[in-house]
Amino acid sequence: MTFRTRSAEETVALGARVAELVRAPAQILLIGDLGAGKTTLAKGIIEALGAARGEDVLSPTFSLVREYRGDPKVYHLDLYRLDTVPEVETLGLEDIWDERAVVLVEWGERFELDLPGQRVEVRLGFEGEGARRIEIRGDSV
Ligand SMILES: Nc1ncnc2c1ncn2[C@@H]1O[C@H](COP(=O)(O)OP(=O)(O)OP(=O)(O)O)[C@@H](O)[C@H]1O
Ligand SMILES: [Mg+2]
């Protein structure tokens, strides 16, 4: 499926539709250049999953991972500054491999985390001022 959004708000709204496509355990890879809108989309997904309010969803750029204790539990990772799975393991996230969680992975194409369950890939691209092309594909999509 391919969508076009014309503002950050529209991308947040699209996140709610992505949330409806997934059932934990699941991973959603968010793929796109700096500023493409990965965190913006994650905000909408996490809010629609009921794990946090949108304004409480912060970018994991520096923390590398943020964990939301909802049902399902949601992990939001940013692999930009990481190079290998062992580096991810040092973050103390072993639970993400066993839990029934939804795992959102910015720069998810950098390397494979080998997570269980459904896998969805979202590719975000720039399309002029304020607009984005967002392509969603994967299991059950
Ligand atoms: N249609 C749109 N969808 C999403 N974001 C948009 C859109 N139009 C403009 N923007 C702006 O683009 C920026 C997207 O930033 P965001 O942090 O979501 O990107 P990112 O892909 O997570 O970047 P990074 O790789 O640095 O983590 C925001 O400032 C947002 O307001
Ligand atoms: Mg981001």
Side-chain angles (χ1 to χ4, degrees), residues 6-94:
R6 281 167 195 82
S7 66
E9 291 71 25
E10 280 187 27
T11 297
V12 171
L14 180 62
R17 297 184 62 177
V18 176
E20 286 171 10
L21 298 171
V22 299
R23 295 284 175 274
Q27 62 178 313
I28 305 174
L29 308 186
L30 301 169
I31 301 167
D33 288 340
L34 290 166
K38 301 178 293 296
T39 300
T40 303
L41 186 69
K43 210 173 269 240
I45 297 172
I46 293 167
E47 184 163 56
L49 289 171
R53 292 183 310 176
E55 65 259 39
D56 294 331
V57 174
L58 303 177
S59 173
T61 307
F62 298 105
S63 59
L64 309 179
V65 60
R66 295 181 58 88
E67 189 180 332
Y68 299 91
R69 298 182 173 280
D71 179 22
K73 191 180 247 191
V74 177
Y75 292 93
H76 184 186
L77 279 68
D78 189 327
L79 303 185
Y80 189 66
R81 289 178 174 72
L82 295 168
D83 294 312
T84 62
V85 173
E87 279 181 54
V88 176
E89 286 168 349
T90 65
L91 301 174
L93 291 177
E94 288 73 15

Side-chain angles (χ1 to χ4, degrees), residues 3 28 42-44 47 50-51 57 59 65-66 89 92 110 114 120-121 123 126 132 137 141:
F3 299 88
I28 305 174
K43 210 173 269 240
E47 184 163 56
V57 174
S59 173
V65 60
R66 295 181 58 88
E89 286 168 349
R110 284 178 54 83
D114 202 19
V120 173
E121 286 185 19
R123 289 173 196 277
F126 294 87
R132 301 290 188 272
R137 64 169 184 227
V141 173

